[in-house]
């Protein structure tokens, strides 16, 4: 199994691409891809999951308009 598979699965499950997550995090997609090669500490993962949650909320708000 790849490192950070839980993050990759969450992004895919919500219909996003990793480059969209990178944009939401304010980093280049190449930097995010490199960062995901090794398992991240829990505090960094929690931050990323919060950003994914905000991305989902933002999409739901846009669809509701």
């Amino acid at each position: 199994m790849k490192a950070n598979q839980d993050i990759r699965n969450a992004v895919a499950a919500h219909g996003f691409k990793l480059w969209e997550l990178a944009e939401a995090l304010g980093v280049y997609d190449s930097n995010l891809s490199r960062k995901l090669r090794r398992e991240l500490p829990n505090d960094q993962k929690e931050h990323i999951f919060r950003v994914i949650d905000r991305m989902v909320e933002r999409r739901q708000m846009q669809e509701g308009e």
Side-chain angles (χ1 to χ4, degrees), residues 29-43:
D29 58 339
S30 58
N31 290 346
L32 177 63
S33 294
R34 241 178 286 140
K35 190 175 218 175
L36 293 178
R37 290 179 190 166
R38 292 201 179 12
E39 200 65 30
L40 295 172
N42 284 335
D43 60 330

Side-chain angles (χ1 to χ4, degrees), residues 53-64:
D53 289 341
R54 284 197 300 265
M55 291 169 64
V56 170
E57 289 172 7
R58 192 173 313 127
R59 181 197 292 147
Q60 290 171 344
M61 288 176 56
Q62 289 173 345
E63 290 175 354

